[in-house]
Amino acid sequence: MSHPYAIGAVIVVALATVLIGALGLRISRTTSDFYVASRTVNARLNGAAISGEYLSAASFLGIAGLILAHGVDMLWYPLGYTAGFLVLLLFVAAPLRRSGAYTVPDFAEARLESLAVRRTAGALVAGIGWLYLLPQLQGAGLTLQTVTGAPRWVGGVVVALVVTANVTAGGMRSITFVQAFQYWLKLTALLVPLLFLGFAWHSDGSPGADAARPVFHRSTVVRTDTAVRIAIGTPERVTVSGTVDGRTYAAAPLALAPGIHALDTATTLDFPPGAEVPAKADDPTGSAWGRPLSDRTQPHPLYTVYGLILATFLGAMGLPHVVVRFYTSPQGRAARRTTLVVLGLLGVFYLLPSLYGALARIYAPDLVLTGDTDVAVLVLPERLVGGTGGALLGALLAGGAFAAFLSTCSGLAVSVAGVLHQDVLPPMGIRGFRRAAVLAVATPTVCTLVAAGLPVADAVGLAFAVAASSLCPLLVLGIWWPRLTPPGAIAGALTGGGTALAAALLTMADVFPHGWPHVLLAWPAVWSVPLGFLVMVAVSLATPGRIPPGTAVVLARLHLPETVAATPARGDVG
């Protein structure tokens, strides 16, 4: 990929983001403007904005990388991400808007009349928001490193600065326009290159993603950033620069015999066209790619699919940056219409990363060997088209990827800043919100230096699992079950979210690398979501005297149309 083109694309996207966000600075004057855009966002604009912030690094880069590495089972990711909004439509969208809240902690306090529940919800919103911000900043660093060679931390810092400028300038009013623009930019950035890649694939004889071990369709250079052991299935002649099996070569030809070979750090292998792609010796993909539930890297594939489905279907309901956007709708009916718009826009978008994953299996299978599957989308134009055309298409993709990081980070920053402003920092009006926004972005930016190396989609899956196990039970039972009590809400949210987070951290620490313990911890939603609901219900039933006295009134407000309830939105006066 040509660095000048890619750098230019990133600069254009950043400048466009700042300029569009400046529009919000001109019209954002009240607290309501900063928190919920004064609840005046129509369904089409709000739907595009929600889609823009929801389509994160995991959607733009991670899904294609997962499909490249693990095959058709990973198609549950785009399906689950989209279906999560169907659950939102059925159970949450309209009642949340009618609550008149600014944030999830606002809703929790109003529903359960408890400051302790508010603080618990606030801690969960901040934790989930920061957990979700980490892979966005990490993905930005990976993208900028891939297209420019800059150090990985640079991309995260650039995104953090642009997002902070937008959020502090105009709050929700600013980022609504920014995110709507960025949805269409991301869709264009994936669709246009895909058309050219499709033509190139057809001109190449329409090769399929081989069910057995794939082959290189063109001369390909593979570079290892870490020491790795590879498995060769057939004899291959390659050109080597580096150390193979303890011997050092300098651009020398080498015949690799079938079997296991050890490569040192910074070793380069130049494979000719038609050569079989080697696999990691301890992680062979074999023929699993094209068959569901046959991935040998997953010892219990059916369980992992259920874990993925639960986390993605229910996780969207608990994502603070998604939930907060429903407060910007004028009424509950508009919130439902917004959700329908989102379903349509996401359905169109998620067709594209899956196709990139399939093309990467054909033309970039070596990324599985090096572990760089998250950059599959970015390298395909260079490999299929090449030349100036490939560089321009790659630059468009780089700009779209950067838009993905900016839009999602903006939504997360607003949701976390709202909680910090209301519940942590001293109240100082709009100035206090701006300080909270700086803190909301700065904290995960610093943490990215520690959390580097986790695959982008996996890190997002962790945030989904925690959200599905904590805020999802709180919202569903808070809206639909009149016997929920403050002790039950706190116990269930902390138990579900805490166990999901602990399981994910144990998995990242590789405490249980094999067997059922590993699978249960790596995919906790199957048991942590029911556990959160169960504890919330059990403790509530055990504390019937703690049911808030105003429950009937609050539930009527949530479920009756605004013309009947006639309840003013909380804090709509700036």
Side-chain angles (χ1 to χ4, degrees):
M1 183 180 299
S2 176
H3 295 176
Y5 292 139
I7 294 173
V10 170
I11 292 174
V12 167
V13 170
L15 289 176
T17 299
V18 172
L19 291 174
I20 296 173
L23 174 64
L25 178 62
R26 299 176 57 190
I27 56 180
S28 293
R29 294 291 182 267
T30 68
T31 303
S32 184
D33 284 331
F34 275 78
Y35 275 116
V36 290
S38 292
R39 308 184 196 275
T40 57
V41 185
N42 63 60
R44 284 181 293 180
L45 177 60
N46 210 13
I50 291 175
S51 301
E53 73 175 352
Y54 188 63
L55 297 171
S56 64
S59 298
F60 200 93
L61 300 178
I63 288 176
L66 285 174
I67 292 175
L68 160 63
H70 301 290
V72 296
D73 283 337
M74 297 299 102
L75 291 173
W76 281 108
Y77 271 101
L79 180 61
Y81 287 153
T82 306
F85 276 88
L86 182 59
V87 180
L88 269 168
L89 173 65
L90 295 175
F91 298 109
V92 172
L96 265 184
R97 170 57 190 93
R98 296 189 187 112
S99 72
Y102 275 152
T103 62
V104 173
D106 280 346
F107 166 81
E109 182 183 22
R111 169 63 178 85
L112 294 166
E113 303 175 21
S114 168
L115 186 60
V117 175
R118 178 190 182 91
R119 290 172 176 167
T120 301
L124 288 169
V125 167
I128 293 169
W130 280 332
L131 196 62
Y132 205 108
L133 270 166
L134 285 175
Q136 310 311 316
L137 299 173
Q138 179 182 324
L142 177 65
T143 299
L144 210 63
Q145 182 185 53
T146 301
V147 301
T148 69
R152 186 165 292 195
W153 60 267
V154 173
V157 171
V158 171
V159 167
L161 291 175
V162 174
V163 168
T164 301
N166 265 345
V167 174
T168 56
M172 183 65 80
R173 181 78 74 176
S174 282
I175 68 169
T176 295
F177 298 113
V178 169
Q179 290 170 337
F181 158 74
Q182 286 170 338
Y183 168 79
W184 295 108
L185 173 61
K186 285 182 280 190
L187 183 66
T188 302
L190 281 181
L191 182 58
V192 172
L194 185 61
L195 295 176
F196 288 92
L197 297 179
F199 288 133
W201 170 76
H202 180 72
S203 301
D204 197 29
S206 306
D210 198 345
R213 186 171 295 168
V215 299
F216 293 111
H217 288 267
R218 298 185 180 185
S219 178
T220 304
V221 176
V222 177
R223 178 183 172 85
T224 60
D225 293 327
T226 60
V228 64
R229 297 170 70 245
I230 63 173
I232 298 291
T234 59
E236 302 291 354
R237 293 194 63 84
V238 298
T239 301
V240 180
S241 294
T243 305
V244 178
D245 296 330
R247 297 186 60 183
T248 302
Y249 303 86
L254 175 66
L256 293 177
I260 306 299
H261 299 273
L263 310 181
D264 280 359
T265 303
T267 296
T268 300
L269 303 179
D270 189 348
F271 288 87
E276 186 179 89
V277 179
K280 284 187 178 180
D282 57 348
D283 187 25
T285 56
S287 60
W289 190 88
R291 297 203 307 268
L293 305 180
S294 60
D295 188 350
R296 288 183 289 174
T297 64
Q298 300 291 348
H300 302 284
L302 184 59
Y303 174 88
T304 63
V305 168
Y306 286 141
L308 193 159
I309 289 173
L310 269 177
T312 54
F313 276 41
L314 301 180
M317 191 185 305
L319 294 179
H321 66 301
V322 171
V323 172
V324 73
R325 289 224 61 98
F326 287 98
Y327 302 141
T328 66
S329 298
Q331 319 92 14
R333 179 178 298 179
R336 285 200 178 99
R337 289 175 178 169
T338 295
T339 312
L340 289 174
V341 173
V342 172
L343 282 169
L345 296 179
L346 293 184
V348 172
F349 181 90
Y350 276 127
L351 292 173
L352 307 180
S354 303
L355 297 176
Y356 274 91
L359 285 173
R361 182 68 181 183
I362 302 170
Y363 294 102
D366 55 289
L367 297 178
V368 178
L369 172 64
T370 60
D372 295 327
T373 55
D374 283 334
V375 303
V377 169
L378 302 174
V379 304
L380 281 174
E382 181 181 358
R383 297 201 178 184
L384 270 79
V385 179
T388 302
L392 290 172
L393 295 176
L396 180 58
L397 285 166
F402 222 70
F405 311 131
L406 291 171
S407 57
T408 301
C409 288
S410 298
L412 289 164
V414 166
S415 61
V416 175
V419 171
L420 296 177
H421 180 219
Q422 289 189 339
D423 300 316
V424 178
L425 301 177
M428 298 177 60
I430 293 176
R431 182 183 301 176
F433 177 86
R434 287 172 170 153
R435 291 183 178 179
V438 173
L439 179 61
V441 178
T443 301
T445 303
V446 173
C447 292
T448 51
L449 301 177
V450 183
L454 184 64
V456 170
D458 287 352
V460 170
L462 167 60
F464 266 76
V466 175
S469 305
S470 57
L471 294 182
C472 171
L474 177 62
L475 291 173
V476 170
L477 294 179
I479 290 172
W480 297 99
W481 194 45
R483 300 177 67 180
L484 181 66
T485 66
I490 293 173
L494 291 180
T495 301
T499 54
L501 178 60
L505 293 176
L506 289 173
T507 301
M508 293 166 62
D510 205 24
V511 175
F512 298 100
H514 306 292
W516 269 109
H518 168 75
V519 176
L520 290 171
L521 294 174
W523 303 92
V526 173
W527 52 268
S528 61
V529 172
L531 181 64
F533 274 99
L534 181 62
V535 170
M536 203 170 285
V537 170
V539 176
S540 294
L541 293 176
T543 55
R546 300 291 302 277
I547 296 177
T551 295
V553 174
V554 174
L555 290 180
R557 181 191 310 164
L558 297 181
H559 296 289
L560 290 175
E562 286 83 355
T563 54
V564 177
T567 302
R570 179 185 181 275
D572 274 355
V573 178

